[in-house]
Amino acid sequence: MVTLIRYKVSKQKVSKVIDNVSKRTISMLAKELSVNVETIRFYERKGLIKQPPKPMQGYRHYPKETVNRIHFIKRSQELGFTLNEIEGLLALNDSPCSKVQELANKKLIAVQKKMADLLLEHALEEHLGQCQNNDDDSHCPIIDSLQPK
């Protein structure tokens, strides 16, 4: 048996909840997004987000679009994009997907190069370790690894 519970909510209460959500001050925004207030100000100066107009009295209020935009910025940073690249991505928002794909492809190539460098570094460290533990001066593990098999 399913029981339905009905709540009577006045329009004033709903309106007040909506007003509170849309009245995000910079400190509320920072707390909601787990970022520093100075990070938000930096994004404003850089032009990544718009600074809302300051009312005659009170504080600036940040809309939901700003929350979404900062989420986009932070997620892009997690993927390895620089702020300049993110600025480019944001500018491409209304552009054809092929332009976004081109930028993402360049980033992928850069990440793959970094990964290859890390693998090479690991291989060199491994060979150096073999050399340090090598008691036989008649052959070198690094030279041996470079020889064709």
Side-chain angles (χ1 to χ4, degrees), residues 5-11 13-14:
I5 301 173
R6 296 180 118 184
Y7 290 99
K8 185 173 182 177
V9 179
S10 71
K11 287 182 182 179
K13 287 182 181 179
V14 170

Side-chain angles (χ1 to χ4, degrees), residues 105-116:
N105 196 37
K106 286 179 182 177
K107 179 52 76 175
L108 176 62
I109 290 168
V111 167
Q112 289 171 336
K113 184 181 179 328
K114 286 180 185 177
M115 289 176 62

Side-chain angles (χ1 to χ4, degrees), residues 116-137:
D117 289 346
L118 288 173
L119 290 173
L120 180 61
E121 178 184 358
H122 177 70
L124 285 172
E125 286 175 346
E126 188 175 308
H127 290 311
L128 284 171
Q130 290 173 355
C131 275
Q132 290 169 349
N133 296 324
N134 182 20
D135 293 333
D136 183 4
D137 279 342

Side-chain angles (χ1 to χ4, degrees), residues 92-106:
L92 290 173
N93 192 31
D94 296 326
S95 297
C97 188
S98 60
K99 288 187 178 184
V100 177
Q101 182 181 1
E102 182 182 329
L103 184 62
N105 196 37
K106 286 179 182 177

Side-chain angles (χ1 to χ4, degrees), residues 35-87:
V35 299
N36 194 304
V37 168
E38 287 305 313
T39 300
I40 296 169
R41 289 190 177 125
F42 177 76
Y43 291 164
E44 290 172 341
R45 286 190 303 273
K46 189 120 173 88
L48 295 171
I49 61 173
K50 292 179 184 172
Q51 185 181 62
K54 182 154 173 52
M56 294 293 284
Q57 293 181 337
Y59 302 99
R60 289 184 171 89
H61 296 250
Y62 291 81
K64 178 71 175 163
E65 293 79 30
T66 303
V67 173
N68 294 340
R69 197 151 173 125
I70 293 175
H71 276 297
F72 179 89
I73 293 166
K74 299 311 285 178
R75 180 66 182 130
S76 298
Q77 285 179 315
E78 289 171 7
L79 292 173
F81 288 95
T82 66
L83 286 179
N84 287 336
E85 291 168 332
I86 293 168
E87 188 175 12

